[in-house]
Amino acid sequence: MSEKKASNQMWGGRFASGPTAVMEAINASIDFDRKLYAQDIRGSVAHSAMLAETGIISAADQEKIAHGLNTILKEIEDGKFSFSTRLEDIHMNVEARLAELIGPAAGRLHTARSRNDQVAVDFRLWVKDELLRIAEALKGLIAAFLDRAEEHAATVMPGFTHMQAAQPVTFGHHCMAYVEMFSRDLSRVRDAIERMDESPLGAAALAGTGFPIDRQATAKALGFREPTRNSLDSVSDRDFALEFLSVAAICGTHLSRLAEEIVIWSTPQFGFVRLSDSFSTGSSIMPQKKNPDAAELVRAKGGRINGNLIALLTVMKGLPLTYSKDMQEDKEAVFDAAETLDLMLAAMTGMVGDLEINTSAMKKAAGAGYSIATDLADWLVRELGMPFREAHHVTGRAVALAESKKVGLEKLSLEELQSIHPAITGDVFSVLSVQKSVASRKSFGGTAPVEVRRQVRYWKKRLAKA
Ligand code: ARG
């Protein structure tokens, strides 16, 4: 007795009423899975229609069920539905309300079904809808980049390796790198939809059912390509959620790299871009500052999505077949990742569209740091037939000479260049500028403005069909 009392006190104020309250708190998912209400009702309408079609329930009962479910949908949407933790989850909340509304016929809805296949189908429907939303958002972001790339196909900027200016590129080309990345994300979204496009409804608890159900019919009614093929897998599989999270994590990683570049470019030290007021904030103490808060938050939120992916992978690892309550932990990770990614995409699309580009700062930086040295080396190879290694060495000496005179390579005189290698002619100056450097890189996928414009045309056409 006294021992029991002691442990009861341990529960503290929040669970004052003892073990029942603790159990309810740990077991209930209604606080988050209420998000699935529309999918739950869609699934139940399709299931009941199939039950009537196959003669498992009467048409009269089905009519009552469908009518009741529609009433509940409206109640929830109007904010008039009262969710109860005691009823654990969205499935039981809806079913209990249905019984209140239509009486005993409500009890027939759960024939040939279990909450195990019910939650699997609800969640798949939700994830599929979300993936479709993300596909649209990605298309918007890609379109924003294509516009900027077209506008800046010939705007020179430094291309970086090791975060040091390496060779001049165009800003349009840089934008197109993101078009490639986000297009791969879009194709991953499509792949994920394709793979998860199977309905688990009808797997029942885990073994299928003895009732003559029609799984093709429910799959079709819910917009799935076909029903899943194994009842055990149907109720224990959460690959679709894991795949959603990994697609989101990769996309979040791309967004976060972009965010980091925007943070760097918008510093006064770089000054490549200016963020619009809508995506930056002022400092409360330093009046000269304009902080890239939105970009910094996008950079950070990538970490949150990665955390959600690892959380669900860890929940699923080692879980025996088939359903265990552990799997209820799948939803919050997915919901949080979805909300986070939606916001990141919206913020980035806005930022990319609004970004003010400082072309002269970019051009100045593009010429700094002997970024056209490779062009000199390439000229020596092309025009003088020099082996590249030797050309590299000769160019190194030219850079050293220019450095000692504190000038750019193009400012060295022909005599000075000839003092390094006598065969150099005046033609060398035809490659010694950042504009000429980028214009010469016409190889497929290269940075030349003509090539960038060609890639923009290719992606615009492809996006129109995506
Ligand atoms: N709320 C549960 C979940 O999200 C629904 C499935 C419950 N099934 C069960 N056998 N307890 O996983």
Side-chain angles (χ1 to χ4, degrees):
M1 258 309 259
S2 65
E3 221 185 1
K4 187 154 184 243
K5 198 164 170 244
S7 61
N8 269 345
Q9 278 160 358
M10 292 281 287
W11 286 312
R14 211 177 140 218
F15 302 113
S17 54
T20 343
V22 179
M23 180 56 192
E24 200 173 285
I26 196 167
N27 201 38
S29 52
I30 190 63
D31 283 348
F32 48 87
D33 71 13
R34 65 171 70 184
K35 247 197 162 78
L36 299 174
Y37 75 91
Q39 288 75 16
D40 193 67
I41 290 172
R42 247 164 90 194
S44 290
V45 169
H47 182 66
S48 68
M50 180 278 291
L51 291 178
E53 204 61 42
T54 49
I56 298 168
I57 65 171
S58 72
D61 280 345
Q62 197 271 325
E63 216 169 284
K64 280 190 210 150
I65 290 170
H67 189 261
L69 288 169
N70 279 324
T71 306
I72 294 171
L73 182 65
K74 211 172 152 356
E75 286 177 354
I76 297 177
E77 268 160 9
D78 294 347
K80 290 190 183 125
F81 190 92
S82 80
F83 292 100
S84 147
T85 319
R86 199 180 36 81
L87 291 167
E88 210 179 306
D89 57 23
I90 184 66
H91 324 295
M92 313 257 260
N93 269 269
V94 170
E95 201 180 315
R97 178 69 184 136
L98 189 65
E100 275 173 21
L101 287 171
I102 68 166
R108 299 194 186 278
L109 170 62
H110 214 52
T111 315
R113 187 178 77 169
S114 146
R115 271 192 296 156
N116 296 350
D117 59 340
Q118 191 179 356
V119 73
V121 78
D122 292 3
F123 200 26
R124 273 198 197 224
L125 285 170
W126 194 92
V127 171
K128 195 176 149 189
D129 285 348
E130 175 60 21
L131 283 167
L132 290 168
R133 263 195 301 278
I134 291 172
E136 286 314 301
L138 275 169
K139 279 158 74 176
L141 176 59
I142 294 167
F145 265 120
L146 285 171
D147 286 344
R148 300 317 304 255
E150 195 163 43
E151 182 189 342
H152 291 285
T155 301
V156 287
M157 70 176 281
F160 296 88
T161 60
H162 312 275
M163 234 194 111
Q164 298 172 30
Q167 291 178 343
V169 295
T170 68
F171 181 61
H173 196 48
H174 202 103
C175 289
M176 292 306 288
Y178 281 102
V179 167
E180 296 287 334
M181 291 152 80
F182 292 120
S183 296
R184 286 196 297 277
D185 291 336
L186 179 57
S187 100
R188 266 184 285 274
V189 166
R190 301 269 188 237
D191 289 350
I193 293 174
E194 176 72 16
R195 221 175 339 271
M196 64 165 289
D197 206 7
E198 296 176 353
S199 169
L201 189 60
L206 77 164
T209 173
F211 291 100
I213 58 170
D214 183 350
R215 293 194 57 209
Q216 305 283 347
T218 45
K220 192 162 168 232
L222 293 171
F224 287 106
R225 192 182 55 236
E226 57 190 338
T228 51
R229 290 191 149 69
N230 180 293
S231 62
L232 302 175
D233 179 52
S234 304
V235 295
S236 72
D237 163 37
R238 289 296 181 272
D239 291 9
F240 63 93
L242 290 172
E243 205 169 343
F244 168 80
L245 288 170
S246 55
V247 165
I250 296 174
C251 182
T253 300
H254 289 159
L255 288 162
S256 144
R257 295 180 74 174
L258 169 61
E260 168 69 347
E261 296 210 299
I262 290 178
V263 170
I264 294 171
W265 292 345
S266 65
T267 57
Q269 288 78 6
F270 268 75
F272 286 5
V273 300
R274 230 183 106 82
L275 285 163
S276 74
D277 289 341
S278 8
F279 291 104
S280 47
T281 59
S283 157
S284 51
I285 179 163
M286 297 163 283
Q288 82 281 13
K289 294 195 72 181
K290 189 167 169 152
N291 298 327
D293 293 36
E296 289 174 338
L297 285 162
V298 169
R299 183 172 64 184
K301 281 175 190 293
R304 222 169 128 143
I305 300 182
N306 294 351
N308 285 318
L309 169 62
I310 299 302
L312 188 56
L313 281 169
T314 312
V315 166
M316 294 308 294
K317 85 162 274 301
L319 265 196
L321 305 192
T322 57
Y323 180 85
S324 298
K325 198 67 176 246
D326 307 52
M327 286 156 72
Q328 179 165 285
E329 290 288 313
D330 57 1
K331 289 169 206 68
E332 283 167 295
V334 167
F335 292 156
D336 184 70
E339 204 177 297
T340 304
L341 188 61
D342 287 348
L343 197 53
M344 289 166 80
L345 283 165
M348 264 312 167
T349 307
M351 258 183 273
V352 168
D354 280 8
L355 223 48
E356 216 179 278
I357 312 300
N358 186 343
T359 54
S360 63
M362 281 186 174
K363 189 176 171 197
K364 195 161 164 240
Y370 302 98
S371 65
I372 53 174
T374 318
D375 296 276
L376 172 56
D378 286 350
W379 184 90
L380 295 170
V381 169
R382 212 171 43 241
E383 303 302 326
L384 305 185
M386 222 180 254
F388 184 77
R389 283 294 161 219
E390 189 189 337
H392 185 277
H393 182 74
V394 170
T395 304
R397 288 177 52 209
V399 168
L401 179 61
E403 235 167 9
S404 74
K405 302 185 117 26
K406 295 192 170 52
V407 295
L409 274 178
E410 71 286 357
K411 293 276 153 54
L412 290 176
S413 68
L414 182 58
E415 294 70 44
E416 283 166 333
L417 285 167
Q418 283 172 339
S419 75
I420 293 164
H421 198 287
I424 295 176
T425 68
D427 178 62
V428 74
F429 294 104
S430 71
V431 300
L432 294 185
S433 84
V434 286
Q435 253 89 10
K436 287 165 189 158
S437 166
V438 297
S440 74
R441 295 204 154 71
K442 284 187 279 213
S443 55
F444 186 83
T447 196
V450 283
E451 181 59 15
V452 170
R453 289 194 186 96
R454 211 172 58 75
Q455 298 291 351
V456 170
R457 284 195 300 277
Y458 167 84
W459 276 113
K460 280 202 165 168
K461 238 186 257 158
R462 202 165 141 178
L463 192 64
K465 286 185 248 151

